[in-house]
């Protein structure tokens, strides 16, 4: 079985899944990626892992119409400008094509699959909440494209719910296909020497309070303003607690102004160093106002952390069980937010962390690639 995946943009988390598909297909997995906004180090890793089976399309550009400064879905429209996609599809002649989303390279992939009678699988991540402001023409477009799709690979239940609303759930849908590079992070965390761990934690926490960790973009969509407001109230009752903030973004100046003894702004941390901060923290905090499936949540879970996450995070039904491995909350409700921050003080954090690790084991790159492979195999047999 020869699989070709078209994906203009992605992060480090995809690489282990692609490597898994390469292994499962006996080196019959192919990938086309774009270069715009792609990390150079990741592009180099792709060349090493997939070799000639990876086509880095240097012509890919995305013209943005609308509010390009907004991080929220449907604030703008990205129109792809690319050469060579259809030509490469013909050259590889895959048995099945996977494409990310209904836009970007999807129309080209659909044209190829119609002409050559090949199954088309869409990797889809959106939820009904994320698409709450989707214009009618966009919904109509998805329904038209959906008539030609053979199957979907999705994150979890909220994406399936949205596909059902679009009346596109009549074909096979495989969930559990989103994975962070949790194996690497777990190994690094477990092997992190205790003396180095204590030394690093001592740089930020000298009292007996808890260390809360936020990793994400410093942008409005991630709920950082709401987090800082809730934190201001939280430390009145728990003055020894510390919040570590890792990331970059347009709100960095505002966040730096809030930095104090209980808020430590660390800025950007290299990916291969991030496990150290998971290792020294007690609780992971993700107050996002809109996310399909926040990958830092399974990263933190793999490192043994309890999770506090927003009800606007598409992964919360699968990855956070209230009172078991953490708590979910409404970041737009300040009292609910503060209550969640307080709850972990009365919880068995060690037991919650172990529960996180166990739950996350169902969302490893190995299992994601196996699920994707099995769906492709099912569609070809059908």
């Amino acid at each position: 079985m020869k699989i070709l995946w078209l994906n203009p943009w992605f992060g480090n988390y995809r690489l282990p899944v692609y490597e898994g598909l390469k292994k499962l297909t006996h080196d019959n997995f192919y990938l086309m990626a774009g270069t715009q906004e792609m990390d150079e180090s990741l592009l180099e890793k792709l060349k090493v892992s997939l070799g000639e089976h990876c086509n880095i399309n240097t012509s890919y550009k995305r013209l943005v119409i609308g509010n390009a400064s907004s991080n929220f879905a449907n604030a703008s429209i990205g129109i792809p400008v690319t050469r060579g996609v259809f030509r490469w599809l013909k050259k590889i002649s895959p048995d099945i094509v996977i494409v990310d989303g209904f836009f970007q390279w999807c129309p080209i992939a659909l044209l190829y699959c119609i002409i050559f009678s090949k199954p088309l699988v869409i990797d889809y991540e959106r939820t009904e909440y994320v698409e709450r402001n989707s214009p009618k023409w966009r919904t109509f477009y998805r329904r038209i494209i959906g008539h030609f799709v053979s199957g979907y690979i999705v994150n979890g239940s909220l994406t399936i719910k949205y596909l059902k609303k679009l009346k596109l759930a009549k074909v096979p849908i495989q969930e559990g296909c989103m994975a962070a590079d949790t194996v690497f992070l777990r190994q690094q965390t477990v092997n992190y020497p205790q003396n180095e761990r204590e030394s690093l934690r001592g740089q930020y926490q000298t009292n007996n309070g808890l260390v809360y960790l936020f990793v994400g973009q410093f942008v409005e969509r991630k709920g950082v303003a709401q987090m800082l407001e809730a934190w201001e109230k939280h430390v009145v009752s728990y003055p020894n607690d510390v919040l570590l903030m890792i990331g970059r973004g347009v709100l960095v100046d505002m966040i730096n102004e809030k930095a104090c003894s209980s808020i430590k702004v660390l800025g950007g941390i290299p990916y291969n160093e991030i496990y150290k901060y998971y290792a020294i923290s007690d609780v992971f905090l993700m107050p996002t106002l809109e996310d399909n499936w926040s990958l830092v949540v399974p990263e933190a879970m793999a490192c043994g952390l309890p999770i506090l996450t927003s009800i606007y995070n598409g992964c919360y039904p699968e990855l956070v069980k209230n009172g078991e491995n953490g708590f979910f909350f409404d970041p737009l409700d300040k009292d609910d937010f503060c209550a969640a921050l307080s709850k972990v003080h009365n919880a068995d954090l060690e037991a919650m962390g172990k529960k996180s690790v166990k739950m996350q084991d169902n969302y490893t790159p190995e299992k994601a690639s196996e699920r994707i492979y099995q769906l492709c195999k099912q569609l070809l047999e059908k």
Side-chain angles (χ1 to χ4, degrees), residues 17 36 58 95 115 122 128 144 156 233 333 357:
V17 175
Q36 189 180 36
T58 56
D95 299 309
I115 292 174
I122 289 184
E128 184 177 358
I144 295 297
K233 182 178 178 181
D333 182 333
V357 172

Side-chain angles (χ1 to χ4, degrees), residues 132-150:
R132 66 196 181 280
N133 296 320
S134 179
K136 290 183 179 179
W137 69 263
R138 205 162 193 167
T139 301
F140 178 73
Y141 166 83
R142 287 181 177 129
R143 285 176 173 155
I144 295 297
I145 295 290
H147 284 294
F148 302 95
V149 176
S150 301

Side-chain angles (χ1 to χ4, degrees), residues 156-173:
S157 58
L158 293 183
T159 301
I160 293 177
K161 181 181 177 182
Y162 184 53
L163 287 173
K164 287 180 177 178
K165 182 179 179 181
L166 293 176
K167 300 179 181 179
L168 298 178
K170 296 179 181 179
V171 296
I173 300 175

Side-chain angles (χ1 to χ4, degrees), residues 71-73 127 129-130 132 213-217 219-227 284-297 307-316 320 327-333 337:
N71 243 215
F72 288 94
T127 68
Y129 179 76
V130 169
R132 66 196 181 280
L213 175 66
F214 167 86
V215 179
Q217 294 173 293
V219 295
E220 181 185 359
R221 181 173 63 87
K222 291 297 182 179
V224 292
Q226 288 76 13
M227 177 173 63
F284 185 77
L285 176 58
M286 175 43 66
T288 183
L289 304 182
E290 178 187 283
D291 251 314
N292 295 316
W293 186 278
S294 183
L295 281 165
V296 286
V297 169
I307 305 297
L308 293 178
T309 195
S310 157
I311 58 172
Y312 308 119
N313 192 345
C315 68
Y316 90 88
V320 181
F327 302 95
F328 46 82
F329 60 93
D330 185 349
L332 298 177
D333 182 333
F337 200 150

Side-chain angles (χ1 to χ4, degrees), residues 39 83 97 101 170 181 262 272 284 296 298 310 313 315 324 346:
D39 186 85
R83 299 187 305 273
V97 179
K170 296 179 181 179
D181 192 359
S262 71
N272 61 356
F284 185 77
V296 286
S310 157
N313 192 345
C315 68
E324 294 185 30
N346 301 311

